[in-house]
Amino acid sequence: MKTRAAVAFEAKKPLEIVELDLEGPKAGEVLVEIMATGICHTDAYTLDGLDSEGIFPSVLGHEGCGIVREVGAGVTSVVPGDHVIPLYTPECRQCKSCLSGKTNLCTAIRATQGKGLMPDGTTRFSYKGQPIFHYMGCSTFSNFTVLPEIAVAKIREDAPFDTSCYIGCGVTTGVGAVVNTAKVQPGENIVVFGLGGIGLNVIQGAKLAGRSSWSRAATGAAPRSAARAGGPTRPRSSTGI
């Protein structure tokens, strides 16, 4: 099939919107129509040529949300029509890491994912007969993408695509920093520096953790306004710090 995608052909070059060939899902894989995608700093970092695993040409994007359109043989956890979020860190629920209870860093497909390939060592994207690599196992800067079954998470069908896509990276990173890394406890106070996609979700995580109060530091009216809904008790401008 054909799909339009924003392709990174070279580092430090603008993305190009082109029509790619996309092979359908093989066994254990799913075809997803991407309905919304965020742009993460990691995408820009890779495009700037700073990512040690950055491979070109590739379809960037890892913060998306979409609808399953086709499944390969053996897929049982999702069916066509399901709404899903692509996972750049999959969950096979069988490897040592998944079973450890100490980390979510699944290693089932890490070796091939880091090379821009599907688990079988090939790509599903191509352009004029030449392979185009996957990115972080997701490639959400494409209208359609193919992912391993273990790299999609089913979500409610009434969840808005344009906000659900951020759960793929920004939300989980910010909330996880509070809940899993800092391990904030009810009643504790925190300070949040910066109110971008991560900082705003740190505030959400702090609220979920039952913090007593927090301060936030940011420049610009827009981030401060967005954060105010989360309930910071001591707003600060970073220009005065």
Side-chain angles (χ1 to χ4, degrees), residues 3 53 137-138 154 162 169 180 188 212 216 234:
T3 182
E53 287 192 344
C138 297
K154 183 179 176 180
D162 61 348
C169 183
N180 297 322
E188 292 183 339
S212 175
R216 59 166 176 77
R234 297 170 188 170

Side-chain angles (χ1 to χ4, degrees), residues 23 26 29 112 116-124 134:
E23 188 178 356
K26 296 184 179 181
E29 299 175 356
T112 50
L117 303 171
M118 295 294 287
D120 69 351
T122 65
T123 76
R124 300 292 169 269
H134 297 256

